[in-house]
Amino acid sequence: MDQIKNPTVASMEGDGYYNRNSAMQAAGIARILPIWEKVAGTVPVGDETLVIADSGSSQ
């Protein structure tokens, strides 16, 4: 029961681990970003609240 309250393994590494080990993800984002920007510019937005959720992982 103590391991549930105090897990010994963190869900994410700290100290910049993700940023140091995500070159492939960064390369993919760099290639797709211009397309995302173009498509996002075509989305009709009115007076309603617009919410964008980013469920990615980063530091």
Side-chain angles (χ1 to χ4, degrees):
M1 187 72 170
D2 287 337
Q3 287 182 332
I4 293 172
K5 291 181 185 177
N6 300 311
T8 57
V9 178
S11 60
M12 285 189 65
E13 295 282 341
D15 299 320
Y17 177 86
Y18 178 85
N19 293 340
R20 287 191 310 272
N21 294 281
S22 58
M24 186 182 313
Q25 292 88 337
I29 290 170
R31 292 187 67 175
I32 197 70
L33 188 58
I35 297 169
W36 283 345
E37 290 174 339
K38 185 175 181 179
V39 171
T42 67
V43 175
V45 178
D47 294 332
E48 68 278 0
T49 302
L50 178 63
V51 177
I52 299 173
D54 177 3
S55 58
S57 300
S58 187
Q59 298 172 344

